[in-house]
Amino acid sequence: MDRQAAAIADLDTALGGALLALRKAPGTGPALSGHDITALQRADRIRQEVDGVARALGLILKAGSLTATLEGRHVRACTPVAALQDRLMG
């Protein structure tokens, strides 16, 4: 999962770079549609989710047992979206 999380992070960075390149050179290429922006947002969400799953699996491996109890704060910290939500709501 760590390898996949890193690969998806690289893909997300490349997509972001392509978006910035289009913004820096207006009129030189196709404009991004609403569908394109939605797809980029989905790619970022997938990146965050895969990273969270990799972190959660890491917690389970560190616990050493499938019956071990994990603290909720550690599980919530696995996903940046959850951490952001906690900061905004707290």
Side-chain angles (χ1 to χ4, degrees):
M1 284 303 301
D2 286 338
R3 182 184 57 76
Q4 290 175 341
I8 289 176
D10 290 344
L11 176 61
D12 186 52
T13 299
L15 290 172
L19 176 60
L20 286 175
L22 284 174
R23 288 188 179 197
K24 287 181 182 176
T28 61
L32 291 176
S33 69
H35 178 72
D36 295 331
I37 298 296
T38 299
L40 288 171
Q41 289 172 333
R42 273 191 255 141
D44 183 58
R45 174 91 183 212
I46 291 167
R47 179 197 56 79
Q48 292 178 38
E49 290 173 355
V50 169
D51 184 60
V53 169
R55 290 179 190 204
L57 288 174
L59 283 178
I60 292 168
L61 289 173
K62 286 180 186 176
S65 167
L66 291 177
T67 59
T69 302
L70 301 175
E71 290 188 41
R73 66 185 172 95
H74 291 137
V75 175
R76 281 192 306 276
C78 288
T79 58
V81 172
L84 176 61
Q85 181 182 5
D86 286 347
R87 284 195 304 274
L88 291 173
M89 301 301 285

